Amino acid sequence: MKTFSQYALSKSDLGLCDAFADGFVLGAAAAAYQIEGSASADGRGPSIWDTFSHTPGKTVNGETGDVACDHYRRWKSDVDLMQSLALEAYRFSISWSRVQPSGSGAWNPMGLAFYDQLVDRLLEKSIQPHATLYHWDLPQALQDKGGWANRDTAHRFADYAEEIATRLGDRLVTLATHNEPYCTATLGHELGKFAPGFRDAALATQVSHHLLLSHGLAMKSMRSVSPKAALGIVLNQSAASPATESAEDVALARLLYAKFVRWYMDPILLGRYPDEIGIQHYPDVQVGDMELISEPIDFLGINYYTRLWASASTPPVPAPNALGVNDMGWETYPSGLGDLLLDHRENYRLPPIYICENGMACADQLVDGSVSDPARIEYVRGHLASLARASQGGVDIRGYMYWSVMDNYEWDSGYAKRFGLVHVDYPTQTRTPKESAHWYRELIEAKQRLSATQKIAVTA
Ligand code: IFM
């Protein structure tokens, strides 16, 4: 077992702490279906991910989230663990079918109590609670009525959002509508990779519009109950790099960026879809939809993992991968995060930003009670440095949440991909903080010492 001094911070790590405004938080994230387990406990209804993961051939080794990290039963000790890692914020998602088993009608008191107690315990431990309403797990009962292809689902979502804002909005720091609507629409309805597993590009475009509409309706319904929480949405984004300076590669980079980033950013922040996409299937947009979708947001969550690489030639020019590729096959490209944010600053009136996810999967091994993961430390260092550049460039960044607090169920990839700061041994559910977790704790504590010193200096 290593001693903590071996995780000591470098001088440049301390410099990182200095780059952010007071109040900037360092935390970690997870999502309901990926960690909770207890899939049918205490009245939880089935979601589309229960159905999908139990369908043969959809996930690696047929793995499901039935047990996952057993967090639904271990939540108290998990929060204690977060406290021991000095996390300042925890981002979690609410399982809609746990709190409203059919996605409409009756609420489930036991499901609601779970999140209520979780929020209180986080606050007791001085960890900011940040919640997301939808991290891909639509109640199956709503899918049976057409799911996100059915415009009515957007109204059911707004009702659900209002209920949660009423119950938890007094204590949450942020409350987001959707996590990564691109994944729900494109991976779930065009590529068939995620639940509900459709392969229909026109359907996916319509779904993306209904997701955005549901976001706008939910913003309004949540505002009507005046929650203290800041309200917003979390989008997955990447900078796009053309492989060469050829007109074809540059045009492809622009197109990929428009489909991945601008398709969601522009309606929310500018009130219109980007017109240079030239998609075959434009969604059915009704009068008033764009006004709803562009309801002002209090914060924008961004999830950043890698960049988009655009090569139009055959065979394509491979990405240089100078800093390596992680266990998901994603290139490590930290400078893309700062570039993306500085670019946004030019193109939009940005609300305050939280980085709601950023992390890497490694083939971590538990050896003699510890997990050595220097690549993850480098990954976080690089991305925080890039974020610091954006902060110094004038982007208002309020927090950074590492993905993920612990290893968990990585959707169609099952349990083989390990993103966590904490290693999970699934057969025993033993949690072991990795070296990156110790390093991250030291970084957080150094940041806290620094801001305490600054406060003393200001008041002296
Ligand atoms: O695990 C996912 C998470 O659910 C959403 N964002 C990306 C992560 C890594 O793939």
Side-chain angles (χ1 to χ4, degrees), residues 96-119:
W96 185 350
S97 67
R98 199 181 282 292
V99 299
Q100 193 182 32
S102 307
S104 62
W107 300 99
N108 176 20
M110 285 187 283
L112 289 164
F114 172 70
Y115 296 106
D116 195 59
Q117 290 169 2
L118 175 65
V119 167

Side-chain angles (χ1 to χ4, degrees), residues 338-382:
D339 296 346
L340 177 81
L341 292 170
L342 291 168
D343 218 53
H344 283 345
R345 188 164 184 270
E346 296 292 304
N347 296 317
Y348 305 99
R349 274 173 66 102
L350 283 181
I353 303 288
Y354 282 89
I355 302 306
C356 285
E357 290 182 24
N358 173 246
M360 76 183 292
C362 307
D364 297 318
Q365 303 281 341
L366 183 65
V367 181
D368 296 336
S370 57
V371 179
S372 172
D373 57 344
R376 184 171 284 112
I377 296 176
E378 273 316 304
Y379 184 96
V380 177
R381 266 192 184 125

Side-chain angles (χ1 to χ4, degrees), residues 31 34 135-136 179-180 303 305 328 330 357 403 408-411 419:
Q34 295 179 271
H135 199 119
W136 311 346
N179 178 70
E180 304 182 354
N303 296 351
Y305 287 90
M328 296 293 284
W330 300 344
E357 290 182 24
W403 181 271
N408 60 51
Y409 180 67
E410 179 56 22
W411 308 109
F419 277 90

